[in-house]
Amino acid sequence: MQKINKFKPWIHQLPFLVFILLLVVFPLAYTIYISFTNMSVYHWQNFHFVGGANYAKALFKLDSGFVPAVLRTLLWTAFNLALMLFLGFMIALALNAEGLNLKRVYKTLLIFPWAMPGYVSILLWRMGMFNTEFGFLNQIVKAFGLPPINFLSSNTNAFISCLVVNLWLGLPYMFTMIDAAIQSVDRSIYEGAKLDGASFWKMHFSITAPIILPILSPVIIMTAFTNFKQFDIVYLMTMQTGSKTGADINTIITYVYDKAFITSNYGFSAAITGLVSLIIIILYFAMQKITNKKKEVA
């Protein structure tokens, strides 16, 4: 009877364990396995073991495109995170200004981009704002007698354009979280700071920001990884099949997609997936360490 009771919890958990095994463990193990093979559309049945050749190609072959994609992704993540934090903080401060009327209306309007389907928003920006012929921005440029701008054709312009769209989609979430954190701060702290002669900016950057930073650390980490794994904006804006713009701003995720589903090099793309997972784990522990230090200082 005791033996039955001992194994009873495992029996109850068996369906869940099987579910995890089939949907997580097996795909992960199989991805690692094929990363050491030459599996591709040309070697679908007769693929063979190639050792670490795929990893060596990604890391040490200059024309593989992996290292530039990683560096571009890190730059993309850093820019987006920094701008979202700064702009989200400034918007949240504005929404919490004393005497501001219709705060709920403003918050509702600012959250609207977040409520829209991302796919629709991205295509609206691409065709309605950035289009060379009839886009809204180029209509303004033409009104001043200037030549139209190819927002999505050159690498720099395309990167900035995708950055703008990502901010449009991501800022509502960030300023909502910051707004909630600011409202949790004890107002008596500000009264003491005013008596000491602290200015508005010094009060919020020296008091508000350090206080809410520990509260926002999970949000910051999640936002960083969301941007690192960003796919839809870069793909739909510049790489969509049948309407490529010519800009080469592959992030690491669009790079994996290209190798897996365009060139059908499954072994190589599996190796890239493994390297991306390793990078994400390293970044996670690094950001955890940084945020923990900030909490200790706070």
Side-chain angles (χ1 to χ4, degrees), residues 151-256:
F151 287 101
L152 301 175
S153 296
S154 67
N155 291 351
T156 301
N157 287 345
F159 186 90
I160 295 173
S161 299
C162 290
L163 190 70
V164 170
V165 177
N166 195 48
L167 290 174
W168 163 265
L169 293 172
L171 260 178
Y173 171 75
M174 182 59 74
F175 86 73
T176 301
M177 296 297 103
I178 296 175
D179 176 57
I182 288 176
Q183 291 184 33
S184 68
V185 179
D186 187 359
R187 298 299 166 188
S188 63
I189 298 175
Y190 299 129
E191 293 174 4
K194 287 179 181 178
L195 291 174
D196 291 336
S199 65
F200 176 86
W201 297 113
K202 187 175 182 180
M203 184 166 55
H204 286 292
F205 279 97
S206 299
I207 298 175
T208 307
I211 290 175
I212 68 173
L213 186 59
I215 303 172
L216 294 173
S217 58
V219 176
I220 294 170
I221 292 174
M222 288 295 295
T223 302
F225 289 131
T226 299
N227 286 300
F228 188 87
K229 298 187 295 179
Q230 184 65 253
F231 171 80
D232 52 355
I233 291 176
V234 175
Y235 177 79
L236 292 174
M237 293 282 283
T238 65
M239 297 173 57
Q240 191 175 14
T241 303
S243 56
K244 293 185 177 181
T245 63
D248 179 18
I249 55 169
N250 257 326
T251 60
I252 192 63
I253 303 302
T254 59
Y255 178 78
V256 173

Side-chain angles (χ1 to χ4, degrees), residues 52-62 64-66 259 265 268:
N54 289 323
Y55 293 93
K57 178 182 176 182
L59 293 171
F60 304 115
K61 192 173 181 181
L62 296 178
S64 69
F66 173 71
K259 297 303 176 185
N265 193 342
F268 183 66

